[in-house]
Amino acid sequence: MVIGGGISGVSAAYWLGQLGVETVLLEGRGLAEGATGRNGGHLAPGSFLLCSQAPR
């Protein structure tokens, strides 16, 4: 049983299903309607290079 239909919950349910695990996903509203649907914190291509070059 996976509780929560955000990106983490949906991903967990998907991959468990791919492994043959019978999975139920519980969500009180619609999928990705919470923080996942409103989140603006995304990684952009090339961000690894920027982080690796940051001063320590």
Side-chain angles (χ1 to χ4, degrees), residues 2 4-5 16 19 25 29 33 44 51 54 56:
V2 177
L16 286 168
L19 294 172
L25 175 67
R29 292 175 279 177
E33 281 191 10
C51 292
R56 297 183 194 273

Side-chain angles (χ1 to χ4, degrees), residues 5-38:
I7 190 70
S8 297
V10 170
S11 180
Y14 173 79
W15 287 109
L16 286 168
Q18 291 296 304
L19 294 172
V21 177
E22 188 174 333
T23 307
V24 175
L25 175 67
L26 300 177
E27 171 56 50
R29 292 175 279 177
L31 296 179
E33 281 191 10
T36 295
R38 296 186 307 270

